[in-house]
Amino acid sequence: MSLVETAPRRGSLARLVRSELRLVLGRRRNQVLLAGLALVPLLLGTVLFLSQDTALQGQGPGFVGRVTGNGLFLVVASLFVCLPFLLPLTIGIASGDAIAGEASAGTLRYLLTVPVARGRLLAVKAVGALTFAAAAVAAIAVVGIVAGATYFGLRGITLLSGTTVSLGDGILRIAAVVVYVGLSMTGLVAVGLFFSTLTEVPVGAMAATVVTAIVCGVLDQLPQLHTIAPALLTHHWLDFAEFLRLEPDWGVLGQGLALQAAWVVIFGALAWSRFTTADVSS
């Protein structure tokens, strides 16, 4: 292939990526979803602030009870609250709509006329879905840190072991928590893209993606299924707590990232196989 032929294709791919990011981040529905996620830390922080001088102070599941003592924990508590359902729901909607939404609107066949291979077009859709997933996690984190600082102030973190580290170290640990949660969503994005290639009904792909996350979460809680639990999509989602230990267990964190990589490879390959061979008529 000559350089003259390669350059236009690269230009077309770059334009597709920019167009996809504008579509994903500019779509009103996605903006509403991001705003909804951003409200979680704001509402949680407001409730805890108003109740901090009552008998309810310091109570709550997980990291919620620690928030009033340090605003940094509002980020962790908000992610903890959103992980079981709200975050997978939001990401499932965006990734499930990636291909099926285009097919439903009748624009997919026009996209395929662009001089970019189907595999690369799928990669563009994956970039858009992953960007939205990153934006979803970032929305929770940014509002969480701002609301936490406003309501409760920021100071050195007392780790799960009882050791207190400096504010700078604490911020780095919270940033690592946010990055880990973001990477933990990559497997779900791959699942959503796969389901999105199977149907022209976006709602079906969205529902299947969200149900996959919910079912994995339920199965992960059953002691009778402990042998398959390490392979479930959600098994390591809450392992971000390792960053709040004096010495994080990098083996556990590595297993979590490896699990997501495996889901990405498997469902990414299934999505590629389906999308590159399907007969697209809409």
Side-chain angles (χ1 to χ4, degrees):
M1 182 181 295
S2 68
L3 292 177
V4 176
E5 293 174 331
T6 302
R9 292 195 175 188
R10 289 179 178 174
S12 298
L13 182 61
R15 286 194 298 272
L16 269 179
V17 171
R18 290 194 297 268
S19 176
E20 181 65 18
L21 293 180
R22 285 195 299 269
L23 175 66
V24 170
L25 299 178
R27 182 172 288 158
R28 184 62 57 86
R29 182 195 63 203
N30 289 350
Q31 292 174 349
V32 170
L33 290 171
L34 291 177
L37 285 176
L39 280 175
V40 172
L42 182 60
L43 293 174
L44 180 60
T46 301
V47 170
L48 293 174
F49 178 76
L50 294 176
S51 63
Q52 63 179 334
D53 294 326
T54 69
L56 298 176
Q57 181 177 2
Q59 298 183 22
F63 303 98
V64 177
R66 292 171 171 254
V67 174
T68 55
N70 191 338
L72 283 175
F73 275 109
L74 184 57
V75 178
V76 182
S78 299
L79 290 171
F80 179 78
V81 169
C82 290
L83 261 177
F85 182 70
L86 290 179
L87 195 55
L89 174 65
T90 302
I91 293 173
I93 288 175
S95 57
D97 185 61
I99 302 295
E102 299 280 7
S104 176
T107 55
L108 183 56
R109 60 181 174 180
Y110 297 107
L111 276 177
L112 295 178
T113 63
V114 178
V116 174
R118 286 194 182 191
R120 292 190 177 185
L121 179 58
L122 181 64
V124 168
K125 290 294 183 181
V127 169
L130 288 169
T131 300
F132 180 81
V137 177
I140 298 172
V142 170
V143 176
I145 196 74
V146 173
T150 302
Y151 283 140
F152 311 109
L154 306 179
R155 54 189 64 86
I157 283 185
T158 300
L159 303 177
L160 299 180
S161 61
T163 304
T164 299
V165 299
S166 67
L167 175 60
D169 191 0
I171 291 175
L172 289 177
R173 288 172 180 269
I174 296 301
V177 167
V178 173
V179 171
Y180 182 83
V181 171
L183 292 175
S184 294
M185 295 296 105
T186 55
L188 185 63
V189 169
V191 171
L193 285 175
F194 168 63
F195 284 127
S196 192
T197 64
L198 298 180
T199 178
E200 295 181 2
V201 182
V203 174
M206 297 173 191
T209 305
V210 176
V211 167
T212 297
I214 294 175
V215 170
C216 285
V218 171
L219 296 179
D220 197 23
Q221 301 302 314
L222 299 178
Q224 297 87 344
L225 300 178
H226 70 279
T227 54
I228 67 168
L232 295 174
L233 178 65
T234 59
H235 185 66
H236 290 282
W237 276 6
L238 296 179
D239 286 348
F240 63 76
E242 289 297 324
F243 290 109
L244 300 178
R245 303 184 190 279
L246 185 59
E247 295 293 337
D249 189 334
W250 297 106
V252 171
L253 294 170
Q255 290 174 13
L257 297 180
L259 176 63
Q260 295 303 314
W263 278 73
V264 168
V265 170
I266 293 171
F267 280 90
L270 290 173
W272 178 86
S273 177
R274 168 67 181 175
F275 188 62
T276 56
T277 58
D279 182 17
V280 176
S281 58
S282 59

